[in-house]
Amino acid sequence: MLVTLSLPSSTSHEITLPLSTMPASVSPAASTIRPSTDTLIRLASSDHGIQLKALRDVKNQIIGNRTKKLVYIKLGAVPAVASVLADALDGSGHSSTDLLVQSAAALGSFACGVDAGVRAVLDSGALPSLIQLLSNHDEKVIGSAARSLKLLYQSKLAPKYDLSENGSVELLHSLLNSENENANGLAASIIAHSCKASAEQKAFCLNGILAKLIDLLGGSISQRDASLESLASIMKSNHEVASQFVKYERGQALNLLVNLTNERSTRTRLLACACLITLRNVSSTYLRGRGTETKLVRYLVELLEEPGQVGEEASFALSSFIEDDEHLQKLAFDANAIDVLCNHLQKDPLQPKRLEGILIALARMCSRLEFCRAKFLQMQAFNSVSEALHHDCADVRGAACICMRNVTRSVQNLSAGFFMNENIVIPLLELLHDPNPFIQLEALCAISNIVVNFRTSNSSFIRWGGLKQLVQLSVSMDPAIRSNSLCAIRNLTFEADNKCKAEVFKELTASSLASLMSDPDPSVQEQALAIARNLTGGSLESIQYAFAEGGIILDAVQRQLECASTVESGIQGIFVLSNVASGRDAHKDAVMDRLLHNMGSGSNPPYLLRFMQSNDSSLRTASLWLVVNLASPSCMGASRRIAKLRKAGVVSQLKIMVKDPCLDVKHRVTTILGQYLTFDDS
């Protein structure tokens, strides 16, 4: 299963206050002060000077220190700071202004990058107080509140901004119109956070926000960047809003956006590229004839080289642009994107977010085109992907699995057994026990590719305990885990030798396989039937698996075909019967008995007839293979079985299918009717 990624919003950063609001000096002991209840006592003091020093002590300690931040949150410091803020709002004078600035800054620091901090700030009821500060007459207070609110609205936990509330539209307009760049940035964060659904995007557009954002594209660097972030959110997947933007002032907004990709500021260039990608994803016609796609790819590859946040986010932007589009992936290949990404991948160390972005971008590059996979493997960067499977960060492990899944689609390297390597397989097997279900699924997908057996043996995979783990996961409570583990077993048994089939059948057991065919989830049913198809194909010895434990597998296949919920289940089940019918007379008769057992019931026609009449050509073809094997003239009971098929109406249906639009079906029908005529003549 492929994973979809969008350009992330600006990474949270700690608040740095203007020099005039900072203490003149920080004593050496300040950095060694430990969180304690004494701090809470000082925050509750009636002396504003003591409160102010306590606020500064707290803020200075938690900046960049996640551990102390969590300790202070547990002590209850956030409600105490919120109380200082609320009391200061009721006061006046210079001391109250300093308390407003410092308490707002402290709350923002608590919310920066820590979900527990965001929850604590929201639970403390400080959000309305922070919003109230935006109307303060002091620019330092407004700036401090705006920075803190921006950090809050960068979290998924923050509430959405409701434009239907009184004064909300006016407040947003005032933020966008403000000369305070922190206020502009806050507006951008609010819009980006609250524009998720089409109705929300339209509401922002109808209230004049779109026009104001377009005006800000001509403002300062900070205003442009804030506008670009908001525009990407307000237009995402929304044809109506995107169309309004493109048509604005006869295309002037679009032209300005394209021009911003040439700005000196790398941040501005990246955000402009992200907006154009958003437009292109809504409709490729918006950028047609401009050569913009080629330029966008080139710009993004150049931005990959940038240090810090810009280079980090450029990889995510490139990923979202080229995903599921071979043409764009080819453009990125021609722009040497793989070389640049691999060179960065092998640099040590990389920040987790940057490493994740590089792995995702490489995964997208290798998702479809074999020459991209070949280029990646030539760059000697595959070991770095394997190492990333052990990374402490779950997002990096997940990205490494996605990259591994797409790279291991390479048929050429699968045939050579390149991926059946303990340095690749064992880390993936370990991830089957990862606490994150998404990582488990991606690891299963990569394993499913690796175990496809073209010319190499899968004995190593079984020896490493891979088969045992897949069988254990086949009874998971999560249907996606069950389905994907069975998919891996299905690929393991694809054209497998008798030894491998015996190992699988021993571990999986006939009763478990039959039970999985009746699983509530249709995809699990399909995979179980496909495993039975692979196990029973190829030799007389393999056919016997269908008759194990009193024919429990054959009976289960019969039940599923009578009420097949999907076309794929029908195809796989029919091929199981076809495999069995390719055996001796006894095998063919066993299939015939099950196939026509409800002929005399007078209810529904036999499922074979229903499948022959299906709108799906693959199901019709599979049904004909079964008829071919049942009517094979090399077996003595062929005439008897043909007579039964004729009585069931199969021959009449075959004559109708002579004019089938599918050439494969027509060819197969001609072959079968030829066999029947031979028996009629004799």
Side-chain angles (χ1 to χ4, degrees), residues 365-667:
M365 288 292 300
C366 297
S367 62
R368 292 173 178 262
L369 302 174
E370 183 66 20
F371 59 79
C372 286
R373 300 184 191 115
K375 177 67 175 178
F376 168 71
L377 293 171
Q378 288 171 11
M379 294 294 294
Q380 305 296 313
F382 196 71
N383 288 341
S384 298
V385 180
S386 299
E387 291 169 4
L389 295 171
H390 298 283
H391 204 279
D392 291 338
C393 176
D395 290 336
V396 172
R397 295 197 302 275
C401 285
I402 297 171
C403 187
M404 190 73 75
R405 180 193 69 193
N406 288 348
V407 173
T408 54
R409 288 174 177 170
S410 171
V411 175
Q412 180 179 350
N413 287 284
L414 280 172
S415 299
F418 177 82
F419 302 116
M420 189 55 75
N421 181 307
E422 61 182 328
N423 294 326
I424 298 171
V425 174
I426 291 179
L428 286 170
L429 291 176
E430 291 172 350
L431 290 179
L432 296 182
H433 303 285
D434 195 279
N436 188 321
F438 170 77
I439 293 175
Q440 287 183 315
L441 284 173
E442 290 301 329
L444 279 170
C445 290
I447 289 170
S448 294
N449 290 340
I450 292 172
V451 299
V452 174
N453 182 5
F454 290 110
R455 290 196 294 270
T456 59
S457 172
N458 279 320
S459 58
S460 296
F461 179 80
I462 296 173
R463 188 174 68 254
W464 294 329
L467 173 61
K468 185 178 291 293
Q469 291 191 52
L470 293 177
V471 171
Q472 290 171 353
L473 290 174
S474 70
V475 293
S476 166
M477 295 297 291
D478 186 336
I481 296 288
R482 292 201 303 276
S483 177
N484 280 275
S485 62
L486 290 175
C487 179
I489 297 174
R490 170 186 181 174
N491 289 351
L492 183 66
T493 56
F494 173 71
E495 296 189 0
D497 56 29
N498 289 336
K499 182 179 178 181
C500 180
K501 287 183 181 181
E503 292 272 10
V504 171
F505 196 74
K506 178 182 176 182
E507 193 68 45
L508 187 58
T509 74
S511 56
S512 293
L513 184 57
S515 176
L516 287 165
M517 291 180 192
S518 303
D519 191 274
D521 189 88
S523 64
V524 174
Q525 298 171 16
E526 293 169 13
Q527 298 298 342
L529 288 164
I531 292 170
R533 172 187 176 181
N534 288 347
L535 287 172
T536 56
S539 66
L540 287 173
E541 181 181 347
S542 297
I543 291 174
Q544 291 305 119
Y545 289 125
F547 295 93
E549 297 185 27
I552 189 173
I553 289 178
L554 210 53
D555 291 340
V557 172
Q558 167 78 11
R559 287 193 297 272
Q560 284 307 111
L561 289 176
E562 287 177 349
C563 58
S565 57
T566 66
V567 169
E568 185 63 22
S569 290
I571 292 171
Q572 299 301 332
I574 281 291
F575 271 120
V576 174
L577 297 185
S578 183
N579 287 342
V580 175
S582 68
R584 297 193 173 101
D585 261 337
H587 299 135
K588 297 177 190 294
D589 288 340
V591 172
M592 183 64 76
D593 290 344
R594 287 171 169 79
L595 191 64
L596 304 177
H597 87 289
N598 63 340
M599 273 182 56
S601 65
S603 54
N604 295 320
Y607 55 79
L608 177 58
L609 270 183
R610 298 201 307 271
F611 293 168
M612 291 173 70
Q613 296 164 357
S614 169
N615 292 327
D616 188 279
S617 60
S618 297
L619 183 54
R620 297 199 302 276
T621 302
S623 304
L624 292 174
W625 272 112
L626 174 57
V627 176
V628 167
N629 288 342
L630 287 171
S632 174
S634 61
C635 293
M636 295 182 63
S639 59
R640 173 170 39 84
R641 286 187 291 276
I642 288 174
K644 290 182 178 180
L645 291 171
R646 187 188 300 277
K647 185 177 179 181
V650 172
V651 175
S652 299
Q653 179 60 33
L654 285 169
K655 292 177 180 178
I656 295 172
M657 297 173 73
V658 169
K659 296 181 179 180
D660 195 280
C662 175
L663 292 177
D664 195 22
V665 171
K666 289 175 69 173
H667 172 71

Side-chain angles (χ1 to χ4, degrees), residues 218-442:
S220 66
I221 291 177
S222 178
Q223 289 173 325
R224 285 202 306 259
D225 291 355
S227 173
L228 289 167
E229 283 190 71
S230 301
L231 285 169
S233 298
I234 209 169
M235 295 190 297
K236 185 177 180 181
S237 304
N238 193 313
H239 183 79
E240 183 178 350
V241 178
S243 178
Q244 286 188 45
F245 175 85
V246 171
K247 294 176 181 177
Y248 187 83
E249 296 290 335
R250 298 184 179 180
Q252 287 186 20
L254 181 57
N255 291 333
L256 180 56
L257 182 57
V258 172
N259 290 336
L260 288 176
T261 59
N262 295 311
E263 275 293 310
R264 178 177 297 180
S265 165
T266 55
R267 178 79 186 153
T268 301
R269 293 210 306 268
L270 175 63
L271 292 172
C273 287
C275 271
L276 288 170
I277 291 170
T278 299
L279 280 174
R280 199 265 179 194
N281 289 343
V282 172
S283 175
S284 59
T285 59
Y286 291 146
L287 306 183
R288 186 169 294 164
R290 291 170 168 263
T292 309
E293 290 180 346
T294 303
K295 292 177 183 177
L296 272 176
V297 168
R298 190 178 77 247
Y299 295 154
L300 290 170
V301 173
E302 290 174 357
L303 290 169
L304 290 172
E305 302 279 15
E306 292 295 320
Q309 188 178 345
V310 170
E312 182 181 285
E313 293 184 7
S315 56
F316 288 100
L318 179 64
S319 300
S320 68
F321 189 37
I322 66 174
E323 187 176 5
D324 298 327
D325 193 312
E326 290 187 12
H327 169 65
L328 294 178
Q329 290 165 13
K330 175 67 167 58
L331 290 179
F333 177 84
D334 293 339
N336 295 322
I338 292 180
D339 302 69
V340 174
L341 290 165
C342 287
N343 287 335
H344 280 284
L345 182 61
Q346 295 176 80
K347 291 179 181 178
D348 191 48
L350 290 171
Q351 290 297 316
K353 199 66 179 177
R354 185 157 189 129
L355 179 55
E356 178 196 354
I358 290 171
L359 290 169
I360 290 294
L362 284 169
R364 299 291 180 256
M365 288 292 300
C366 297
S367 62
R368 292 173 178 262
L369 302 174
E370 183 66 20
F371 59 79
C372 286
R373 300 184 191 115
K375 177 67 175 178
F376 168 71
L377 293 171
Q378 288 171 11
M379 294 294 294
Q380 305 296 313
F382 196 71
N383 288 341
S384 298
V385 180
S386 299
E387 291 169 4
L389 295 171
H390 298 283
H391 204 279
D392 291 338
C393 176
D395 290 336
V396 172
R397 295 197 302 275
C401 285
I402 297 171
C403 187
M404 190 73 75
R405 180 193 69 193
N406 288 348
V407 173
T408 54
R409 288 174 177 170
S410 171
V411 175
Q412 180 179 350
N413 287 284
L414 280 172
S415 299
F418 177 82
F419 302 116
M420 189 55 75
N421 181 307
E422 61 182 328
N423 294 326
I424 298 171
V425 174
I426 291 179
L428 286 170
L429 291 176
E430 291 172 350
L431 290 179
L432 296 182
H433 303 285
D434 195 279
N436 188 321
F438 170 77
I439 293 175
Q440 287 183 315
L441 284 173
E442 290 301 329

